[in-house]
Amino acid sequence: MTVKKAVIPAAGLGTRFLPVTKSMPKEMLPIIDKPVIHYVVEEAVDSGIDDILLITGRGKRAIEDYFDDAPELMMHLERHGKCQQLDALREISRFSGIHFVRQREPKGLGDAVLCAEKHCKDEPFAVLLGDDIMKDRTPCTKQLIDIFDKTGSSVLAIQEVPTEQLHRYGIVKGNESGENLLLLEDIIEKPSPAEAPSHFGSIGRYVFTPALFSCLKRTTKGAGGEIQLTDAIRLLMKQEDVYAYIYQGKRFDTGDKLGYIETIIDYAREDNAMKKDLNLFLRKVMRQ
Ligand code: UTP
């Protein structure tokens, strides 16, 4: 059975982006003219997934509105011949098959994923964090699905993390098991540099067998007093094989202020209408 479902947790408080996240979900922060969550949903769809469950919560209505139809707005654009803008809205309509469920309290990423149990039932599923954008010729989630199809096992994407950032990630230990593939031996959430078993951190893309749900139910509060997905993966790893895949593409952590700015600059530099003037501006700023 291949992966046909995706879960996108987007119910976190986004405290690193306060005060703007007081009234606006961080997943709706714009990367020029599209919100972060647009790119995350697009990755799932481009990976062949046609059933997406978004985990939202209080103050996240803007996400539902974004993926809803807007017939009045479309009629208005049609009447005024605004074809380009109309196409941009039609692109969102391509993301059909989106469902929503609310996490009652932001008790942690593990708790958010557990909200998807009824929806996923006994099927394998992908998880894409709602504030991480991945950029590669083949979508990161598709690369994970290909590994799942070969191994039948859960797999998480990892990348090398600098020492000063180890405390922000789930850090893995694994045994080489193929090209860019490790068989997971351990994973520790937010370790100090001394505790970290490697420099490879989990970067917000996963494919899980449904056995993860029973592990999540057995997971108690961990780092930061939250139900951590990492702790559930640790339990899963003890009952079945879990792989870690070294993802080679670009990754942007838009939940972090610097990561957010880097994302916007990267996308703007690929926009033909903007890149020339932006490059001139950046060169000028660098000389100052
Ligand atoms: P983060 O830890 O980056 O999100 O979770 P956060 O807690 O909102 O951020 P800060 O640290 O306070 O700024 C990664 C993803 O998991 C979701 C978030 O919305 C984000 O997309 N998440 C996190 C949930 O859905 N529920 C939670 O309880 C926690």
Side-chain angles (χ1 to χ4, degrees):
M1 181 186 261
T2 190
V3 181
K4 284 284 160 206
K5 290 188 172 167
V7 176
I8 303 183
L13 293 174
T15 54
R16 282 170 290 168
F17 260 98
L18 281 170
V20 69
T21 43
K22 182 166 174 264
S23 63
M24 177 187 176
K26 72 169 167 180
E27 296 79 7
M28 286 301 293
L29 287 170
I31 305 303
I32 309 172
D33 53 5
K34 288 180 197 152
V36 171
I37 194 85
H38 179 110
Y39 292 100
V40 180
V41 168
E42 187 173 55
E43 179 188 330
V45 172
D46 290 346
S47 299
I49 285 172
D50 55 12
D51 181 339
I52 296 171
L53 182 69
L54 271 157
I55 315 291
T56 67
R58 263 190 295 280
K60 301 276 182 169
R61 277 282 303 278
I63 299 180
E64 293 179 38
D65 289 342
Y66 182 77
F67 290 106
D68 207 353
D69 287 339
E72 300 84 2
L73 179 57
M74 290 187 81
M75 259 154 58
H76 172 89
L77 294 173
E78 249 166 40
R79 267 202 308 272
H80 291 82
K82 300 202 168 182
C83 303
Q84 215 180 330
Q85 290 86 342
L86 209 50
D87 286 347
L89 290 197
R90 286 198 181 115
E91 199 195 320
I92 304 172
S93 316
R94 149 175 113 88
F95 306 145
S96 55
I98 299 188
H99 310 269
F100 297 91
V101 68
R102 281 167 79 105
Q103 184 186 16
R104 297 182 75 85
E105 253 183 85
K107 289 193 279 190
L109 178 57
D111 182 67
V113 174
L114 188 53
C115 294
E117 186 184 18
K118 280 211 177 97
H119 192 87
C120 296
K121 297 190 190 102
D122 51 4
E123 282 183 46
F125 59 100
V127 173
L128 297 84
L129 298 196
D131 58 354
D132 270 340
I133 294 181
M134 306 291 171
K135 228 185 193 187
D136 205 352
R137 238 176 282 155
T138 303
C140 180
T141 296
K142 174 75 174 85
Q143 296 179 39
L144 296 182
I145 293 174
D146 288 345
I147 293 166
F148 175 85
D149 288 342
K150 278 191 206 127
T151 61
S153 299
S154 300
V155 53
L156 46 130
I158 54 169
Q159 265 186 346
E160 220 163 329
V161 170
T163 306
E164 62 279 11
Q165 287 182 20
L166 289 169
H167 68 280
R168 288 170 39 187
Y169 291 84
I171 303 295
V172 310
K173 181 181 171 197
N175 252 334
E176 244 186 82
S177 188
E179 204 189 340
N180 293 323
L181 202 62
L182 308 177
L183 181 64
L184 201 65
E185 283 193 330
D186 204 0
I187 179 163
I188 303 175
E189 182 64 18
K190 300 186 169 59
S192 67
E195 290 164 330
S198 77
H199 272 69
F200 282 116
S202 158
I203 52 162
R205 293 295 185 267
Y206 316 78
V207 166
F208 290 115
T209 64
L212 179 80
F213 291 122
S214 66
C215 299
L216 281 167
K217 284 184 202 154
R218 284 185 280 133
T219 302
T220 49
K221 284 182 187 171
E226 296 191 338
I227 310 280
Q228 296 289 354
L229 180 60
T230 298
D231 295 339
I233 295 173
R234 219 162 176 228
L235 294 177
L236 183 64
M237 189 191 78
K238 287 179 184 152
Q239 65 187 56
E240 55 182 51
D241 284 351
V242 177
Y243 289 92
Y245 169 66
I246 307 170
Y247 167 68
Q248 308 282 331
K250 283 191 198 172
R251 175 227 173 199
F252 298 101
D253 177 7
T254 68
D256 170 77
K257 285 180 194 168
L258 183 61
Y260 176 62
I261 292 167
E262 286 170 0
T263 318
I264 294 177
I265 293 176
D266 187 273
Y267 275 85
R269 292 189 70 197
E270 286 187 358
D271 183 323
N272 286 334
M274 240 182 297
K275 68 177 173 200
K276 190 164 157 254
D277 290 341
L278 178 67
N279 284 337
L280 280 174
F281 171 75
L282 290 175
R283 263 185 240 127
K284 195 169 125 196
V285 171
M286 293 305 288
R287 279 198 299 268
Q288 280 166 6

